[in-house]
Amino acid sequence: MVRLSKTRKMPGRSWSLPAGSTCPGSRDATGEVIPVCQMCYAKTGTYTYPNVREPREHNRSDWRRPEWVADMVAELDSDRYFRWFDSGDVYHPELALKILQVIQATPWVRHWLPTRSHTIARIAPILDQIDAEPNAVVRRSSDSIA
């Protein structure tokens, strides 16, 4: 079952994961959390509430279902804008490929994917493919806010 959320700052709905544990780009080569991720909004406030955490935990394994792509496409039937990850990130190449399939199957939806996973060698080429889709924008987040 697809579990989506609605953020107040963006139009449309979002598909998210738990912050931190699904953010491979949040650490530098020494394993230290990068400056921008040290202030992660998705680890505080309402993101700590059980009813907010539960769908994100559910999504951590749900995307592995064979029917997930078809279920996402059906769920986005009436959406016009969609944000991937108001928390968490693309942490596995197979997830990136499934996101690409959803984007390709929903040309009526404008997809936005902010990510730090562009720094991960096995994920970056798939993000490039996603960014090449006419209905998708990949926002490659930087290491700091300065």
Side-chain angles (χ1 to χ4, degrees), residues 44-55:
T44 63
T46 59
Y47 283 90
T48 64
Y49 297 168
N51 66 318
V52 176
R53 283 194 328 255
E54 191 281 324

Side-chain angles (χ1 to χ4, degrees), residues 3-132:
R3 303 284 302 271
L4 301 179
S5 56
K6 175 77 173 99
T7 60
R8 283 182 252 154
K9 294 183 179 181
M10 296 292 298
R13 299 183 293 168
S14 181
W15 186 87
S16 300
L17 294 167
S21 61
T22 64
C23 300
S26 67
R27 298 188 177 275
D28 64 18
T30 67
E32 294 294 318
V33 176
I34 62 170
V36 73
C37 295
Q38 290 173 5
M39 301 175 287
C40 179
Y41 64 85
K43 290 184 175 183
T44 63
T46 59
Y47 283 90
T48 64
Y49 297 168
N51 66 318
V52 176
R53 283 194 328 255
E54 191 281 324
R56 288 157 178 78
E57 287 294 339
H58 166 84
N59 289 344
R60 184 196 308 252
S61 61
D62 185 60
W63 70 266
R64 296 179 184 272
R65 291 184 300 112
E67 308 84 13
W68 185 81
V69 170
D71 289 350
M72 280 295 297
V73 171
E75 185 67 30
L76 296 177
D77 181 55
S78 62
D79 289 69
R80 295 300 169 253
Y81 299 95
F82 191 75
R83 176 181 178 170
W84 294 93
F85 306 109
D86 64 78
S87 64
D89 205 343
V90 181
Y91 70 100
H92 196 284
E94 186 180 334
L95 173 58
L97 287 170
K98 284 189 169 188
I99 290 171
L100 175 60
Q101 292 171 2
V102 171
I103 290 169
Q104 290 172 332
T106 57
W108 63 89
V109 179
R110 297 186 67 173
H111 296 266
W112 184 56
L113 198 162
T115 183
R116 286 269 322 128
S117 291
H118 63 91
T119 63
I120 309 302
R122 60 194 188 118
I123 297 172
I126 306 163
L127 293 173
D128 290 340
Q129 291 177 38
I130 291 170
D131 203 24

